[in-house]
Amino acid sequence: MSGITLVNQVKASKFLSGLRYDDVLREETDIIREAVNRLPDNEGYERVYRMKVAFQYSLSHTIATKDTSLKPEEDIRYLTPLIDEVAAEFAEKEDFNNIKSYSK
């Protein structure tokens, strides 16, 4: 997946310090929605938990402590490989649906 990067915004934000990079990706497209649906249950639950905690920090105008902040080595791309896989499948499906029959 290429395109827009949020690395600098996530690193600069105190409120996003408890989230992984892929947590910031919103489920606004069919590809990301499908990738999130393919997450193992435990990873999906952890994603939702991290987002709820970040939202609570935002509501209470507090910042994650060093103990609760995500460390750089813990920030793994858990969703991006699934997004790439789903995008390839969607592209393949689109290509297949656009095949024109030349038989008479």
Side-chain angles (χ1 to χ4, degrees):
M1 185 175 122
S2 62
I4 299 172
T5 179
L6 303 171
V7 172
N8 294 332
Q9 290 84 352
V10 172
K11 285 182 180 179
S13 172
K14 300 267 186 212
F15 292 111
L16 297 177
S17 62
L19 295 174
R20 290 182 178 171
Y21 178 85
D22 284 352
D23 291 341
V24 181
L25 300 175
R26 305 306 309 157
E27 300 171 38
E28 295 175 351
T29 67
D30 291 337
I31 293 173
I32 295 179
R33 215 173 291 120
E34 178 61 28
V36 169
N37 287 336
R38 292 185 186 187
L39 284 172
D41 286 342
N42 64 328
E43 190 66 56
Y45 296 139
E46 290 173 9
R47 173 186 167 91
V48 171
Y49 175 76
R50 287 188 301 270
M51 287 197 270
K52 285 184 176 185
V53 169
F55 186 65
Q56 185 61 38
Y57 281 138
S58 178
L59 286 176
S60 62
H61 299 286
T62 58
I63 298 172
T65 63
K66 287 195 178 209
D67 295 337
T68 58
S69 290
L70 187 70
K71 288 145 190 68
E73 61 271 7
E74 296 171 345
D75 188 11
I76 58 168
R77 296 287 183 98
Y78 66 95
L79 189 58
T80 301
L82 289 172
I83 292 171
D84 293 340
E85 179 182 302
V86 171
E89 289 174 12
F90 277 36
E92 182 179 357
K93 183 178 179 181
E94 183 68 24
D95 290 344
F96 182 77
N97 289 336
N98 289 328
I99 294 176
K100 299 207 186 293
S101 176
Y102 291 105
S103 61
K104 293 185 179 192

